Amino acid sequence: MTNAMGLRERRRIETRRLILAAAYTLFRRRGYDGTSVDEILAQARISKGSLYHHFPSKESIFAAIVAERGERCSEGMARAADPRATLHENVHSIVRASWDAMRADDDWPRLQMEFSLLASREAWAREAQAASYEQCRKLIAGFIEAGQRAGAVRRGIDPAAAAQLFMALSDGLLVQWQTDPDALDPDELIPPMADMVSRYLAATPPTDEDRRPANTVAGLDKP
Amino acid sequence: MTNAMGLRERRRIETRRLILAAAYTLFRRRGYDGTSVDEILAQARISKGSLYHHFPSKESIFAAIVAERGERCSEGMARAADPRATLHENVHSIVRASWDAMRADDDWPRLQMEFSLLASREAWAREAQAASYEQCRKLIAGFIEAGQRAGAVRRGIDPAAAAQLFMALSDGLLVQWQTDPDALDPDELIPPMADMVSRYLAATPPTDEDRRPANTVAGLDKP
C-alpha cells in the first residue's frame, strides 16, 4: 500500500515537472501571452485531463513557475550566506547569488519582465508575484536581523525596508540590463552594488579591513 | 515671411503635441500593443498624411513619448538639486523628484513597464530606451562629479556606475510597487533610499549633522 502510494506520488511529481518544463520552454520562446494551453499539452505530451488535474489554468502554471523561481533564488542566497564571513563578503556573495539566479538562462530576465507586467495588470498574477516577493523579503530581512543581533548591522535600519531596497537594486539592474544592454555589464556592477548595500547596513563605516576574510580580521589565519 | 514661417512652426509643434497626447491617452487605456495607428488618428482628429508627416510609425511615437518622459524626469531632478544644500538633502530631493516624475499619473508606471518589456524584445524600442537612460545617467553622473569636486562625494566612486545603481533603485521600486502594491509605500521608502544612496556617496560617514540644512551646519543660520 505504501509502495503503491509512493509510486503514485512519484508519478504526480514527475507529471507536474513535465508540465512546468514544457510551459517554461514555450513561455521562453513565445512569451506567456503567446502560448496556449493546447501548445503546452502538445509540448508535454500529456492529456488535457492530466494537465487540469495538476493545474486548473494557464494562470496557475505561471504562479507555479514564479514560486519555483523565487524558491531557487532564495536557496541560492541562503547558500551564499556564511556566518564566518564579514558583512561585506556576505553582501557580495548574496548579490552575486541573486544575479546568478536571474541569469540561470538567457530568456529568464525577459520572461520575468513579462511576468511583472502581467502582475501590474492582473490580480491573479499580482498574488503570485507578491507571494514570491514576500518569501525573498523575509529571507533578506532575516539576514539583516541576524546581522543586527551580531552587531555587524546598524540598529537604526528597518530590515523589511532594507530588503525591499536590495530587491529593487536587483530588479532595476535587470530592467536596465535588458533594455540598455550595451551600457551595463552585471559583473562590473556586482562590486559597487555590494559596496552600496554593505555601506548602508554596516554598523561601523567600512575600511579596507572589512574586505578581508573574517578570520584574517580576527587574526586567526595561519601564517 | 518670418511671420508665416513662425505660424507654420507653431502649427507643427501643436499638431505634434496633439498626436502625442492622443497616443498617450490610448496607450494608458489599452497599452501600446493594444493601440492602432488608426485609433490614434481618430483620437487626435487628424489625417493619416498629417500623422505620417510627423511620425513615420507607431514606433516613432513610442520613442518620442519615452524621450519626453525622460526629459521631464531629468528636468525635475535638475530642479531638485540645490548647491547650498547638504549631500543628504540633495539626494533626498532628487530621489523624491524621480518618484514624483514616475507618479505623474496613475498609468505611467505600468506603461513604463510595458515600454521596458518592448525594449527587451525589439531593437527600435531598445534604442529609444537606451537614449533616455543615457540622458538620465549623464545628469546623475554629473551631480556626482560635482560632488566629488566639492569634496562631498568619495573619490573612489565611478560616477557612471553610481548613476546606474541610483536608476536601478528607482526602476526596481517601481516594479515592486506595481507588482506588490500592498507591501510597498513609495513615500515610506524615500528616506531609506536617500539614506542608502547618500551613505554610498558620502566622503565622510553621515552623522545627524548631515540631516540639517547646509547653513545650519555651517553655523550661518539666524537664531
Side-chain angles (χ1 to χ4, degrees), chain B residues 189-215:
Chain B
L189 276 171
I190 287 173
M193 178 176 163
D195 193 23
M196 178 181 270
V197 173
S198 58
R199 277 174 190 271
Y200 178 61
L201 298 176
T204 49
T207 64
D208 286 342
E209 291 292 316
D210 293 324
R211 308 301 171 78
R212 295 189 204 154
N215 55 0

Side-chain angles (χ1 to χ4, degrees), chain B residues 89-222:
Chain B
E89 286 170 327
N90 268 321
V91 171
H92 194 280
S93 306
I94 291 167
V95 167
R96 181 167 293 280
S98 81
W99 266 104
D100 288 347
M102 278 200 279
R103 292 188 290 182
D105 64 71
D106 289 347
D107 299 303
W108 173 246
R110 195 176 309 165
L111 199 52
Q112 188 176 322
M113 288 175 68
E114 188 185 359
F115 282 3
S116 293
L117 184 63
L118 270 167
S120 78
R121 287 179 177 156
E122 311 275 355
W124 61 264
R126 201 147 50 238
E127 268 173 49
Q129 190 88 308
S132 174
Y133 268 136
E134 196 187 354
Q135 189 192 17
C136 189
R137 207 162 42 233
K138 280 189 175 164
L139 177 80
I140 298 171
F143 289 150
I144 293 169
E145 284 159 13
Q148 285 176 325
R149 282 194 299 274
V153 173
R154 286 190 290 140
R155 289 273 166 196
I157 281 180
D158 171 10
Q164 283 177 320
L165 293 175
F166 179 91
M167 289 161 68
L169 272 169
S170 293
D171 284 349
L173 288 174
L174 179 97
V175 172
Q176 272 185 62
W177 180 43
Q178 287 297 300
T179 58
D180 191 8
D182 296 336
L184 192 149
D185 178 346
D187 288 313
E188 281 181 15
L189 276 171
I190 287 173
M193 178 176 163
D195 193 23
M196 178 181 270
V197 173
S198 58
R199 277 174 190 271
Y200 178 61
L201 298 176
T204 49
T207 64
D208 286 342
E209 291 292 316
D210 293 324
R211 308 301 171 78
R212 295 189 204 154
N215 55 0
T216 309
V217 172
L220 293 173
D221 56 327
K222 294 185 182 126

